[in-house]
Amino acid sequence: MTSANYRDEFKSVIQKLIDSPDNEHVALTNFIGNEFVKSESLMDSVNPATGKPWIKIPNGTATEVDSAVAAAKEVFRSWKNTTVQQRSTLLNKVANLIEEFNDEIAVLESRDQGKPIGLAKVMDIPRCVQNFRDFANAALYTLSTSKILEQPSGKCINYVKHDPVGVAGLISPWNLPLYLLSFKLAPALVAGNTVVCKPSEMTSVTAWVLMHAFKLVGFPAGVVNMVIGEGRSAGQRLVDHPDVHLISFTGSTLIGKKIQEDSAKMNKKVSLEMGGKNPGIVYANYRKSDIAAIARSSFLNQGEICLCTSRLFVQRPILEDFLKSYVAEAEKFTIGNPSTQVQIGAMNSKVHFEKVKKYIEIAKAEGGTILCGGVKTVLHGCEDGYFIAPTVITGLPDTSQVMTDEIFGPVVCITPFDTAEEVIERANSTSYGLSATVWSANTDELLNTANELRAGTVWCNTWLARELSMPFGGCKQSGTGREGLHDSLHFYSDAKTVCVNLAAKY
């Protein structure tokens, strides 16, 4: 198939989903062995902005996972022997195809997840493209260690060969669906593994579109497979399957810890990126021009980013002025139908909406003051949608549930501090350690604080500035392992030392 032909076919797949009428829900399928396979049963997928079903998705079973793993295992024998150049070329073709239809795919991501369409256009889909391109190209220039060993009998040369692991099980979350799925797929595939992925059943539409891209650009049958379904069925079978030797998971700490326990029984390689309760520390001399960035760090994507700031520690002398500025900034965020030009869309599901609402009620019950935010009613077809405005809470102790639990929504607690030593201890006091931000005009203050924080990433006077070559992951209950250009390629391969006696005569 020529590139022009497969572009037309890809466009047709996307357009059919965009044009799907509300009363005629398109049914998605699983993707096994390069075939789109109808599932044994289907379930509704809800548009968070309307609160109504808009598409049908598979309710994947253990049997379907077994079929996908069998296809991946079979083709691994040949796929692992392809060259890095061949794999890189295919991934770049996927990147090009996704990039060409960036805006159309963003429509689907917004409708399925609830995020503003403008955000999907400039963050989610471009980052998916970048993930495929950067991993495809980085793998071409990965260096292996080699060393000559001299001994009395002669010289030996040692070198390291990075072997693919086998079938990789990839479980991705609902908050950044295509963005985070591609962050797993790209390194797994370029390293020579075959994969079975399970996107969240809340947001599987763009993953299904992506499967078409893999097939159309020429990936061999069985290299990439996908089963859509619930974690307790499809996800659990993927974790338990004896022919899946590696699991990469992004999601809640509760589920991640169970995956780690189950995988340990078979000694599987596991990478876990889990929850966070990320602190932001604002010193008295912070740059007031950063107030918009500080607010953005709490509320982008409805606060449904694992790296969002949910606890803000503000030095006492500036607390009153900071609160006025911060609340004013929070109230600037426009909220509404994510298909329009708003900054805050809908919470991803009714269950999650109710969870976030519950924490706002807990804050009130514990004596907290709600300075702004709460449930928001949106009209024009979104009356039943799941909307919560940026919510700012003060007056809670560090031991409050709202200060310790991961809420994963547009809710931030602000509390005062006096000294650097005090705030570092308080910021580190949770069981999480994913990320943190520090805001100060004093470089020593920034670096001294950053160095003492127990977090996988600390941003100083900025937020969400991500460089793929840097390690990404969490400490404590926020995760195990690191992801990034170098770390991911190492995780998706096994290093093998080969030693050759140069003095031997043959």
Side-chain angles (χ1 to χ4, degrees), residues 221-301:
V223 171
V224 183
N225 306 272
M226 180 183 72
V227 177
I228 301 170
E230 296 180 324
R232 60 188 175 184
S233 51
Q236 188 64 56
R237 179 53 182 162
L238 191 57
V239 171
D240 291 341
H241 201 294
D243 291 330
V244 176
H245 303 299
L246 175 155
I247 297 290
S248 177
F249 168 81
T250 299
S252 73
T253 294
L254 179 67
I255 301 302
K257 289 170 73 173
K258 185 178 189 308
I259 288 173
Q260 190 169 43
E261 292 171 4
D262 293 344
S263 298
K265 299 170 187 175
M266 290 177 275
N267 200 31
K268 297 187 179 190
K269 294 185 77 171
V270 175
S271 172
L272 305 172
E273 195 265 279
M274 304 189 291
K277 192 68 179 175
N278 308 311
I281 298 172
V282 183
Y283 283 101
N285 63 356
Y286 87 104
R287 303 177 303 184
K288 292 185 178 180
S289 59
D290 284 334
I291 191 71
I294 298 173
R296 180 175 176 268
S297 78
S298 294
F299 304 127
L300 187 72
N301 202 55

Side-chain angles (χ1 to χ4, degrees), residues 10-298:
F10 192 62
K11 180 180 180 179
S12 172
V13 168
I14 297 169
Q15 202 61 49
K16 181 179 179 182
L17 292 168
I18 291 175
D19 295 340
S20 172
D22 291 340
N23 60 346
E24 295 180 21
H25 305 150
V26 173
L28 303 190
T29 58
N30 294 316
F31 183 63
I32 300 172
N34 257 24
E35 299 297 329
F36 290 94
V37 182
K38 290 183 179 179
S39 182
E40 297 173 12
S41 64
L42 296 172
M43 52 187 174
D44 288 330
S45 183
V46 172
N47 179 338
T50 65
K52 296 178 173 58
W54 79 283
I55 208 156
K56 295 281 188 182
I57 62 170
N59 187 4
T61 65
T63 301
E64 290 164 315
V65 172
D66 289 348
S67 297
V69 172
K73 181 181 178 182
E74 176 65 26
V75 75
F76 176 68
R77 300 171 187 173
S78 56
W79 176 250
K80 69 177 182 179
N81 292 320
T82 56
T83 66
V84 175
Q85 287 83 358
Q86 289 172 315
R87 301 193 292 264
S88 175
T89 297
L90 286 170
L91 286 175
N92 273 309
K93 286 183 178 181
V94 171
N96 293 341
L97 193 55
I98 298 297
E99 184 176 50
E100 184 172 347
F101 296 96
N102 180 94
D103 290 2
E104 293 86 349
I105 297 172
V107 171
L108 298 175
E109 196 75 302
S110 172
R111 191 181 298 176
D112 205 31
Q113 200 278 333
K115 68 175 73 246
I117 188 171
L119 183 63
K121 285 180 179 180
V122 301
M123 184 178 77
D124 293 67
I125 315 308
R127 180 53 187 272
C128 168
V129 173
Q130 182 188 356
N131 286 339
F132 283 122
R133 281 205 181 123
D134 284 6
F135 279 107
N137 297 329
L140 296 174
Y141 303 102
T142 299
L143 301 178
S144 293
T145 303
S146 63
K147 187 174 179 63
I148 293 178
L149 172 67
E150 298 200 29
Q151 50 188 6
S153 60
K155 295 181 179 179
C156 292
I157 186 168
N158 292 271
Y159 66 90
V160 177
K161 182 177 184 293
H162 294 279
D163 290 335
V165 178
V167 179
L170 312 179
I171 304 174
S172 56
W174 50 256
N175 61 321
L176 301 166
L178 200 58
Y179 179 146
L180 291 179
L181 178 58
S182 62
F183 195 36
K184 300 178 186 299
L185 279 165
L189 292 168
V190 81
N193 300 282
T194 55
V195 304
V196 177
C197 53
K198 194 206 85 66
S200 169
E201 66 275 19
M202 303 291 185
T203 52
S204 48
V205 171
T206 53
W208 189 71
V209 169
L210 181 61
M211 295 303 109
H212 287 79
F214 281 117
K215 180 173 183 176
L216 290 169
V217 304
F219 268 80
V223 171
V224 183
N225 306 272
M226 180 183 72
V227 177
I228 301 170
E230 296 180 324
R232 60 188 175 184
S233 51
Q236 188 64 56
R237 179 53 182 162
L238 191 57
V239 171
D240 291 341
H241 201 294
D243 291 330
V244 176
H245 303 299
L246 175 155
I247 297 290
S248 177
F249 168 81
T250 299
S252 73
T253 294
L254 179 67
I255 301 302
K257 289 170 73 173
K258 185 178 189 308
I259 288 173
Q260 190 169 43
E261 292 171 4
D262 293 344
S263 298
K265 299 170 187 175
M266 290 177 275
N267 200 31
K268 297 187 179 190
K269 294 185 77 171
V270 175
S271 172
L272 305 172
E273 195 265 279
M274 304 189 291
K277 192 68 179 175
N278 308 311
I281 298 172
V282 183
Y283 283 101
N285 63 356
Y286 87 104
R287 303 177 303 184
K288 292 185 178 180
S289 59
D290 284 334
I291 191 71
I294 298 173
R296 180 175 176 268
S297 78
S298 294

